[in-house]
Amino acid sequence: MSLLTGRVALVTGASRGIGRACAIKLATLGAAVVVNFNTSATAAQGVVEEIRAGGGDARAVQGDVSRLAAAQGVVKAAIDAYRRLDILVNNAGTTRDGLLAAMSEEDFDGVIQQNLKSVFNCSKAVLRQMMKQRYGRIVNVTSIAGVVGNPGQTNYSAAKAGIIGFTKAMAKEYGPRNIAVNAVAPGYVPTALTSGVSPDIAAGIVRLTALGRMGTAAEVAAVIAFLASDEASYVTGQVVAVDGD
């Protein structure tokens, strides 16, 4: 029996990058996986097909989880399909970088909505089912930017810092219901989200790491999978840096 056999996981923003790697990792460990996406239907279906080709169980569910009603719909679809929901990985997010003086209100609000409000929406939406089960594992994808800040990313850094506070507070609220809530804080990982980073800046980030290299989405997914499993049954309210340092 695999580590997550019998578990059902929902991964938001799972059509690419860290979300994709996470969906595939959870499936290889035996979980049935709901692959959430907003606009990338073809990519999301590709993730589902890869999981099924490996003998796993997965399905894609569309929904802009930055909106509460849509997040509730995605969660309902997952529960309707599998009759339970054990694991939530809040991964959906975006960037709209720029120096604060030139940043529009729309770019600030949009990043807060996509990165932080989506965590609230999905976490709130899964609570009833997880409390009914008296079991749940929630893993929020924050960022090192939320810990130390990044120039040109006041909006993103604020959203990711907010996720850290949210994680710690929710862990205290729902630990008595056997719902563990943790976060991972990736460093620089080449994905579509970081594709706009210039080679010079990327090289500078790498020089600051102890390991002297970039991370991979699979390395982040491995830590998420650990936190989503019963191997981490006495871990909650933590922020695990996956940053090579």
Side-chain angles (χ1 to χ4, degrees):
M1 182 179 293
S2 298
L3 192 61
L4 297 177
T5 297
R7 300 299 187 193
V8 177
L10 166 61
V11 183
T12 69
S15 63
R16 58 187 180 180
I18 290 171
R20 177 183 183 278
C22 185
I24 292 169
K25 179 66 173 180
L26 295 175
T28 64
L29 294 175
V33 181
V34 176
V35 176
N36 163 251
F37 69 97
N38 184 18
T39 59
S40 305
T42 301
Q45 192 57 39
V47 177
V48 169
E49 290 170 3
E50 183 169 343
I51 290 171
R52 289 176 178 172
D57 185 0
R59 63 189 62 203
V61 176
Q62 191 278 334
D64 178 1
V65 293
S66 71
R67 298 186 300 110
L68 179 59
Q72 290 170 331
V74 170
V75 169
K76 183 178 185 301
I79 296 169
D80 286 349
Y82 294 106
R83 315 313 304 172
R84 62 182 298 118
L85 184 55
D86 305 286
I87 299 162
L88 168 65
V89 180
N90 282 310
N91 169 75
T94 191
T95 57
R96 298 183 190 177
D97 296 350
L99 295 177
L100 180 58
M103 184 178 291
S104 69
E105 183 178 12
E106 291 75 17
D107 282 350
F108 185 86
D109 290 349
V111 167
I112 296 295
Q113 186 82 13
Q114 291 286 334
N115 291 274
L116 178 56
K117 181 70 179 339
S118 63
V119 173
F120 165 82
N121 291 342
C122 294
S123 300
K124 183 176 176 65
V126 302
L127 268 178
R128 179 176 293 182
Q129 181 66 30
M130 288 185 173
M131 286 192 293
K132 178 183 174 182
Q133 297 168 177
R134 293 196 66 82
Y135 182 93
R137 297 289 181 264
I138 298 175
V139 186
N140 300 320
V141 180
T142 178
S143 170
I144 288 300
V147 179
V148 300
N150 270 346
Q153 289 191 320
T154 51
N155 49 4
Y156 185 75
S157 297
K160 292 301 189 179
I163 290 172
I164 292 172
F166 183 99
T167 297
K168 291 179 176 293
M170 189 179 179
K172 287 182 168 61
E173 287 185 15
Y174 293 99
R177 302 297 188 96
N178 196 30
I179 299 172
V181 188
N182 292 288
V184 296
Y188 184 74
V189 175
T191 65
L193 199 65
T194 60
S195 60
V197 176
S198 74
D200 287 346
I201 292 175
I205 294 170
V206 167
R207 282 195 296 272
L208 293 174
T209 67
L211 294 179
R213 64 173 178 85
M214 300 176 189
T216 68
E219 287 172 320
V220 179
V223 178
I224 292 171
F226 166 71
L227 293 172
S229 77
D230 287 340
E231 297 282 281
S233 57
Y234 201 52
V235 180
T236 195
Q238 302 305 304
V239 181
V240 182
V242 189
D243 64 349
D245 202 24

